[in-house]
Amino acid sequence: MIRVSRLNGKPFIINALYIETIESFPDTTITLTNGSKYIVKEKEDKVLELIREFYQTVNLLGQQIGGNDSEE
């Protein structure tokens, strides 16, 4: 699940597994697999970042490689 905001600033949560497309018209529009469309305040790149973080959380993308932690 990802938290995004409507254009009026009111936050809501979308299940990222059901996102089919993300478009900018210039407002960011998220279309779900059931055809529902949501216009959100966040930019397309931010929504993609939130989706990647969610997928990593549920282990669909695996662990992110890199970072500041070093194993010795």
Side-chain angles (χ1 to χ4, degrees), residues 5-6 35 41:
S5 303
R6 298 187 188 278
K41 195 176 203 178

Side-chain angles (χ1 to χ4, degrees), residues 49-62:
E49 179 184 323
L50 292 169
I51 292 169
R52 274 190 221 103
E53 289 173 6
F54 169 74
Y55 281 4
Q56 287 173 343
T57 304
V58 295
N59 207 21
L60 287 177
L61 292 179

Side-chain angles (χ1 to χ4, degrees), residues 17-64:
L17 297 174
Y18 295 119
I19 294 175
E20 185 173 345
T21 61
I22 303 166
E23 302 172 276
S24 297
F25 293 126
D27 293 326
T28 306
T29 302
I30 299 172
T31 304
L32 303 183
T33 55
N34 66 4
S36 297
K37 292 184 183 245
Y38 298 93
I39 299 172
V40 298
K41 195 176 203 178
E42 290 77 10
K43 298 291 183 196
E44 188 174 331
D45 291 341
K46 178 62 176 176
V47 175
L48 289 174
E49 179 184 323
L50 292 169
I51 292 169
R52 274 190 221 103
E53 289 173 6
F54 169 74
Y55 281 4
Q56 287 173 343
T57 304
V58 295
N59 207 21
L60 287 177
L61 292 179
Q63 297 294 324
Q64 185 174 2

